[in-house]
Amino acid sequence: YKGTHIFKSGTPDKELPVKINDYLPKDITGLIDKDVANVGTPSQKTHEDTKNDGTWNFTKWDQEQKTIDKADVQFEGIWVFTPNEYKVTHEFVSGTKDRELPAVIKGWTPGNQNGKLNGDTVVPGEVKDKSYKDVANDGNWLFVNWDKNSKVINKADEHFIGIWVFIPNEYKVTHE
């Protein structure tokens, strides 16, 4: 009798790539009735899946040992798919020529968005404060907009740029 190994997907709606079968352990041969067959070890326990943008990980065998009972035995190994995750970052910049954006405004950028998947449509984070009174430079900074209203994750992190402009205070001169 013999002991064989097969791999199955443990992820609903995802088929194992054919290449994963290359990692199957060798068959166990020369077994007789009542022998105990010990499961083999996959030659590799992770597999990068560029087509589905993620990684397959070997998780477990259905059993570690099986006893021959006048028939061959088969061990079933389970692989689980984990999609690659991406993040969304933000940055504020000055949209006014020759004016550096104050550090305090740069610190107001929305937090990163993590756990985004390929194909997800993402939007920039919320801007809580959209104006800043710049006493040192006698004017105000105003948030204008983001470089894009949304972006689609395409197997890479995404980055939004928020534009701020400086408006100097204006004064009237009156004559008597």
Side-chain angles (χ1 to χ4, degrees), residues 60 65 146-147 152 172:
K60 65 180 180 175
Q65 296 181 329
W146 291 103
D147 60 336
V152 176
K172 278 197 292 190

Side-chain angles (χ1 to χ4, degrees), residues 7-54:
F7 289 143
K8 290 194 174 179
S9 171
T11 303
D13 303 324
K14 283 275 186 215
E15 285 189 35
L16 280 178
V18 174
K19 176 73 176 158
I20 288 180
N21 287 322
D22 292 349
Y23 312 141
L24 282 165
K26 291 183 179 177
D27 290 346
I28 306 160
T29 58
L31 298 169
I32 59 172
D33 195 40
K34 306 296 181 220
D35 275 354
V36 174
N38 293 308
V39 72
T41 302
S43 61
Q44 192 166 315
K45 293 185 177 185
T46 62
H47 177 78
E48 294 299 317
D49 185 345
T50 54
K51 180 182 174 194
N52 292 303
D53 194 37

Side-chain angles (χ1 to χ4, degrees), residues 138-164:
D138 196 27
N140 293 294
W141 285 93
L142 300 174
F143 178 76
V144 179
N145 60 3
W146 291 103
D147 60 336
K148 300 273 183 177
N149 291 328
S150 67
K151 296 181 181 186
V152 176
I153 299 293
N154 186 15
K155 296 185 180 182
D157 294 338
E158 278 296 345
H159 185 72
F160 287 99
I161 298 173
I163 313 295
W164 288 74

Side-chain angles (χ1 to χ4, degrees), residues 1 6 8 17 48 64 108 142 155 166 170:
Y1 300 102
I6 62 168
K8 290 194 174 179
E48 294 299 317
E64 294 296 315
W108 292 350
L142 300 174
K155 296 185 180 182
F166 181 76
E170 294 182 4

